[in-house]
Amino acid sequence: MKSWKFVLSALIAAGFAFGAVGAQAKNKELKIGVIGALSGGGTAWGQGLLHGVTIAADELNAKGGLKVGDTVYDLKIVAYDDQYNAAQAKSAAERLVNEEKVKFLFGPVGSPGALSAVPVTQPAHVIEFVDGYAPKILDNQWKDNSFVFRTGLSSQEFADPMVAWVKKNLSDVKKIGVIAPNDAVGQQAITSLVNRYKSQGFDVWTDFYERGTKEFTPVLLRMVAQNVDLFDLNANAPGEAALLIKQAREVGYSGKIIQAGGAGVNEIVQAIGPAANGFLKYDIVDFDDPRLQPFVKKYKAKYSGIINGLAPQYYNTARILFEAISKAGTLDTTKVRDAIENLQGWDAPIYGPLKWTGKKTYGVAHQILIPFYIDKVKDGKGVVIDTITPAGD
Amino acid sequence: MFSPVILGQVLINGISLSAIYILVSLGFTLLFGIMRVVNFAHGSLAMLGGYALFFLYTQYHVPYAIAVPLAALVVATLSLVLERMVYRWFYQKMFQSMIGLIGLDMALYSTAAIIWGPNERSIPSPVSGIYHLGPLFLSSSKLVIIFTAAATLLAFFAFTHLTRQGLAMRAAAQDVETAELQGIHTDRIYILAFFIAIFMAALAGGLYAQNYTLSPFMGERPLMMAFVAVILGGMGSIPGVALGGIILGMTESFVGTYFGSTTSTFVTFGAVILILIVRPWGLLGTPEAS
Amino acid sequence: MAVVEEFAPPAPTAADPASALRMKAVLGALLALCFLVLPLLRPGEFILSLATTLLITAIATTSLHLIVRLGSVSLAHGAFMGLGSYAAVLSAMKLGLPFPLALIVSFLVPAALGLAVGPVLLRLSGKYFVLVTFLMGEIIRLIFVSWQSLTGGSNGIFGIPYPYKAFASHTVFYYFTFVLAALCIGLVARVLQSEIGRTMDAIREDSRLAQCSGIPVLRTKVAIFTLSCGLVGISGALFAYFVRYIDPTSFSITQSLNFVVMNVVGGMYQLAGPIVGTVFFVILPEFLRGYVDFQRIIFGICLVVVMAALPGGIVGLIARLRLLSNKVMGENP
């Protein structure tokens, strides 16, 4: 078994040698870990996360590196694919924390991955930025000395304001239909969403489908028979959401359609074009926001394809981390964690003044508070019609 | 819930679903019927058909009516390489074919993921719009599928009952040795059957991808559909595919609309398991001497 | 119907010549020794974790090997593993059963299901049995997903506690897993070497002939199937306590296929097969981490090659090479 250690260390040494020769860097290297779905179903999110962090790191490296006290570091991203799977995420986290000795980790995205990575990073005091709606990501046994931050809104934050918006702006809606996949996101988000709708006086009907289904006409017809006037696509992935919209019209549904959660109006519009007109969508980014344009330019210069909403979000997060490290003047994660908490009010590049919330809801104020947007599809394009900032606690 | 409008729509949905089942299952059952091969790579070959249609139609701007069969032709022709390298080892060996072709399936969709990326794409439809039959709705793209399914079913039937090659195939399907004694070149028949089967799979894949979405992993669902339809109807039987497809399509539509998605899935699986236990050769299949 | 009849070299029977048996025992003991000694070399958390995963997977693949030696294959073993996981976790967390009892439950629940459906399903000829297990696995997974009040649905069960405080140490858990793995694999080896093993071979070669010789074919099949399901349940329990979070995606057809790949590629005819297959399958991805698609291509090609031309898998290949080198050397094999 000793040969194991040898082979592994040889590989790592070779990797470093290559890195050193190739980069000819004079600075020391700081490894930043990334875990996300880079293959299989959740790839859009995983790649969004990776691209956002990479752009931030490249930016800083181009300026000479990250200054920590008297030392300057070049940032190096080490990315692992978790295939949106809990066991893989755990294994990736263990590898990053124990082998690569990473102290700062972005991802996993999605509750299964996040929930299995957190027990690995927290005891090791590794700072982690995750996404995923499960409350246990923050509200867990390590919350009194927590090193995990959530830098996107979860359904706990946006569901109430979202429902309030619906009540105010779509006042003639009485009955809401919700069709969701019965995966982790679907089952988690739908229960709380349904309760919120009901508490605001709406009548709600729900049904779930197996992931992988593409033909929704039977269940859509079932919904039509319920005389639903608003169809909420919450928790559906963009591909399925697009199909649901198209097939709903094909089966005779004539009411309004909204997606009160999830990200990415552009993917949907690209998939079904004019059939999406009138569609209302929750979104986490406003691509017309002037604050976003420098990022969009940098993204388009490096990558092709639709920009997933997680890219600007994680760019923002990475910038927060780098700022905190600079302010702390050290790589000691406890001090950096404190610096992140104290960064409250700092003008973050994408979302503006940083606000942490969540002390009451989760027991630790590590939940970011950012605005979200309501898009409407007009003439085949998603246009922001409203901005909402949830109340903190 | 039981209003005539809803019932009518259930019927229309059912016909569309049945057409998709039939289209997707024809290639699968042919390979089993003639060569006793359980083509677990069926879904991935359909997926290749989807990508072929995508490139022909959107990148090379081939007119739609030509692109659809041409895409299938391209995939079937290129797959002849696979026939030589992989499938030939598994003719008449059901068990080995199952496991081996699972391997081929893995290799195919993983290669596709590397070459074309794992993201979903959509193939635009030349026909859009929804037809109104009174109070009922039928989308034009579903109509295309219904026509194609019906046409291919008829073509299949005509081929296997009226042409010499088709009769030779049926003879080989029944008894290879006797067929050879009668002077039928079984290797040539196998290649022909393989070609037709993959053509069917790719054709179905193209239309499936266009109706839903295109991705390297899209083949999983068509494989499952073909699987259950063919087990139900009888492995190797073309009328069986039609019957299996119709039963499944109608059941899904009816049960899905009146009882919900999950119930529909359980009912379908339950029925197929029951058939496998009680009458494993399917409703219209022939029991093998085993 | 015998499954591997098409291949000319018949599978070696369980009653091996004594010398080959001794050789295998020695190799097995050496391997066990390596695993025993590993933690003392202070290899680090990650490698210890990897080794633990290897041992847990090995229990599962050797349990499937029992079915493979019967001449068939089950595509539902991932789901049965899940049954063991959920059974152990639920009995510990909801019923408050102590850990040893939870372990026993993890064996009993999948075994009970195997016993219940076995008599019906094992009557089917090999190919139909495989198809039925494929569907069964899916149904079981669907139940995991749909029965939210019991299983937590797609969100699974989070925060599975350590069985005992001591198990928080990776080394302690590793040794415990090692002991269980040794017991389970040892049991499988014992069964294959015994009278039952010879019966299994007879059934695999020609079940009708076996039936005529007075062998209770169905009863043997059911017994072996039940044992196999029970053992994979134990690996499920270990998995649950190791990852400390279970959800239905870990027990899908992908997992079942993984076990099949390990058996087939490692070698279907010898117990060493699944063990070699497990090592290959668990270690290789660590070198190709980040290149999941490449991994799958390699596994896919391996499956095709093995099924087409190398029925004995890696182990069979080694055996053949040894035979070849013996012939070349002019010695008697």
Side-chain angles (χ1 to χ4, degrees), chain A residues 190-241:
Chain A
I190 296 311
T191 341
S192 68
L193 181 76
V194 167
N195 289 336
R196 280 170 227 262
Y197 274 137
K198 283 197 176 144
S199 71
Q200 294 283 330
F202 292 107
D203 199 3
V204 186
W205 172 88
T206 60
D207 201 355
F208 292 90
Y209 63 86
E210 253 304 283
R211 261 241 112 120
T213 312
K214 299 279 183 208
E215 180 64 48
F216 302 104
T217 43
V219 71
L220 284 167
L221 188 58
R222 187 167 160 76
M223 182 182 80
V224 167
Q226 312 292 327
N227 294 317
V228 151
D229 28 33
L230 176 66
F231 176 25
D232 187 351
L233 300 172
N234 207 325
N236 282 290
E240 275 80 11

Side-chain angles (χ1 to χ4, degrees), chain C residues 58-258:
Chain C
I59 299 178
T61 42
T62 42
S63 76
L64 183 63
H65 190 66
L66 283 171
I67 299 181
V68 169
R69 289 286 279 266
L70 264 180
S72 191
V73 111
S74 165
L75 291 178
H77 249 43
F80 277 95
M81 181 178 178
L83 278 173
S85 286
Y86 280 107
V89 168
L90 289 172
S91 54
M93 287 171 80
K94 287 218 176 134
L95 299 178
L97 289 188
F99 181 61
L101 275 184
L103 259 181
I104 294 180
V105 169
S106 78
F107 177 90
L108 289 177
V109 169
L113 183 63
L115 188 60
V117 299
V120 177
L121 301 185
L122 288 160
R123 273 179 221 275
L124 300 171
S125 67
K127 44 200 181 260
Y128 294 124
F129 175 73
V130 176
L131 296 178
V132 140
T133 58
F134 180 47
L135 292 169
M136 251 206 92
E138 267 300 285
I139 290 201
I140 296 178
R141 193 191 57 85
L142 268 175
I143 296 179
F144 290 156
V145 166
S146 312
W147 201 343
Q148 293 185 54
S149 51
L150 186 68
T151 65
S154 291
N155 281 291
I157 303 181
F158 173 71
I160 299 174
Y162 292 114
Y164 299 112
K165 278 269 164 66
F167 280 42
S169 146
H170 285 206
T171 315
V172 171
F173 192 87
Y174 171 81
Y175 275 121
F176 179 71
T177 310
F178 173 74
V179 168
L180 270 184
L183 285 173
C184 292
I185 299 178
L187 177 63
V188 172
R190 200 71 197 80
V191 166
L192 290 172
Q193 287 300 322
S194 70
E195 190 69 43
I196 304 180
R198 285 192 281 277
T199 313
M200 284 167 63
D201 285 320
I203 296 178
R204 185 183 69 244
E205 297 286 326
D206 193 330
S207 60
R208 245 184 298 162
L209 185 59
Q211 182 89 42
C212 295
S213 316
I215 292 176
V217 169
L218 191 60
R219 226 182 301 162
T220 314
K221 279 183 166 180
V222 172
I224 296 295
F225 183 65
T226 307
L227 178 63
S228 174
C229 293
L231 286 176
V232 81
I234 293 186
S235 90
L238 285 171
F239 175 78
Y241 281 105
F242 180 55
V243 181
R244 303 182 58 214
Y245 167 61
I246 54 174
D247 72 315
T249 60
S250 310
F251 309 121
S252 65
I253 183 71
T254 313
Q255 183 69 289
S256 302
L257 278 177
N258 288 346

Side-chain angles (χ1 to χ4, degrees), chain B residues 166-240:
Chain B
L167 286 168
M169 271 209 272
R170 283 170 64 209
Q174 279 188 347
D175 191 327
V176 177
E177 281 153 13
T178 313
E180 293 223 322
L181 286 174
Q182 297 280 345
I184 294 177
H185 296 276
T186 37
D187 348 315
R188 281 199 225 150
I189 290 294
Y190 280 2
I191 296 184
L192 181 62
F194 179 82
F195 188 83
I196 296 179
I198 306 304
F199 179 87
M200 287 308 314
L203 186 73
L207 289 173
Y208 185 93
Q210 176 165 62
N211 233 274
Y212 304 118
T213 48
L214 176 69
S215 88
F217 314 107
M218 63 160 260
E220 208 185 295
R221 181 114 183 111
L223 175 64
M224 210 37 178
M225 292 171 83
F227 215 68
V228 291
V230 165
I231 291 180
L232 198 61
M235 296 186 85
S237 157
I238 304 289

Side-chain angles (χ1 to χ4, degrees), chain A residues 225-307:
Chain A
Q226 312 292 327
N227 294 317
V228 151
D229 28 33
L230 176 66
F231 176 25
D232 187 351
L233 300 172
N234 207 325
N236 282 290
E240 275 80 11
L243 288 174
L244 279 165
I245 299 174
K246 187 171 94 153
Q247 290 175 11
R249 301 296 182 211
E250 286 174 4
V251 117
Y253 175 68
S254 53
K256 295 198 180 57
I257 307 184
I258 189 174
Q259 184 171 24
V265 72
N266 292 324
E267 289 95 328
I268 296 177
V269 167
Q270 191 190 60
I272 56 177
N277 280 342
F279 171 53
L280 295 161
K281 175 103 181 62
Y282 159 90
D283 215 336
I284 62 177
V285 66
D286 176 7
F287 280 106
D288 290 324
D289 186 343
R291 292 189 77 118
L292 210 66
Q293 302 317 309
F295 173 77
V296 171
K297 238 211 272 179
K298 289 203 177 102
Y299 188 100
K300 291 214 161 108
K302 206 171 147 86
Y303 305 110
S304 63
I306 292 183
I307 305 179

